[in-house]
Amino acid sequence: MREQLDLPLTGVRTRAEFEALPLVPRGWAWELRSGRLELSLMPVTFWYSRIVFCVLEFWRSHGYEIAGDQYIADSGFARGDTGHHNFVADGVVFQPGHQPGKHSTTHDPSSLFAVVEAVWQPTQVREAIDKLRVYAMLGIQHYWIIRGDTESDDLDGFVSMYELTGSEYKLTGSRLVSQLSAS
């Protein structure tokens, strides 16, 4: 059974209150989302970090500016802060010629050419599909979802490549990440 925290629903928390939170198992973390403190699985494993870097490097080698772990914000749908309607993408690829500011942390969807997500658990796959609909509404041209094999020690991943056609994404290709450098 989950332990209930006896804290007010709103207001500033003290350091003592934060430090009194129950310890969580390795791979989990307390995360502030939409003004709520939630216990979240933090999937930043070696595979996850490496596979996102490999895909972003593919885009960079083709002349695009890239960034990892970036907020998609500042649109009519996502309001430009770290609120409920914003998403953090595992990687973003900027429109040709777009140079993000040195200290930028959120990005207008119109400046994005592609979004990259890496998943390896069923809940992450569902979240990636939910994001697919939102990124289509925001008009981002490409959405790549990388799936990992939890049963294998292989560091490769399978990329499903979606392209915006009208108001929704269509699957336009798929391949292993290791095959990207050959294209």
Side-chain angles (χ1 to χ4, degrees), residues 71-162:
Y71 282 100
I72 312 300
D74 304 329
S75 72
F77 179 80
R79 296 280 180 209
D81 59 14
T82 57
H84 176 68
H85 294 293
N86 289 351
F87 287 115
V88 178
D90 296 330
V92 296
V93 179
F94 294 98
Q95 291 286 353
H98 179 77
Q99 279 299 125
K102 179 178 178 179
H103 300 289
S104 62
T105 57
T106 62
H107 303 286
D108 185 304
S110 66
S111 68
L112 302 179
F113 186 69
V115 172
V116 176
E117 296 286 349
V119 298
W120 56 274
Q121 293 184 329
T123 56
Q124 293 172 325
V125 173
R126 282 193 299 278
E127 182 179 301
I129 297 303
D130 288 344
K131 289 180 177 183
L132 185 139
R133 288 188 275 282
V134 172
Y135 294 151
M137 288 182 354
L138 295 174
I140 298 170
Q141 295 170 304
H142 300 274
Y143 184 45
W144 286 17
I145 301 172
I146 313 161
R147 289 175 175 83
D149 182 356
T150 57
E151 303 300 316
S152 169
D153 287 336
D154 186 8
L155 290 176
D156 213 342
F158 185 79
V159 182
S160 298
M161 303 164 181
Y162 295 89

Side-chain angles (χ1 to χ4, degrees), residues 24-33 37-49 69 71 88 90 118-121 123-124 127:
V24 296
R26 185 181 182 134
W28 289 79
W30 290 105
E31 189 170 43
L32 190 60
R33 290 187 183 168
L37 191 60
E38 298 177 357
L39 192 57
S40 301
L41 177 64
M42 302 305 288
V44 183
T45 62
F46 176 72
W47 172 85
Y48 181 88
S49 177
D69 289 325
Y71 282 100
V88 178
D90 296 330
V119 298
W120 56 274
Q121 293 184 329
T123 56
Q124 293 172 325
E127 182 179 301

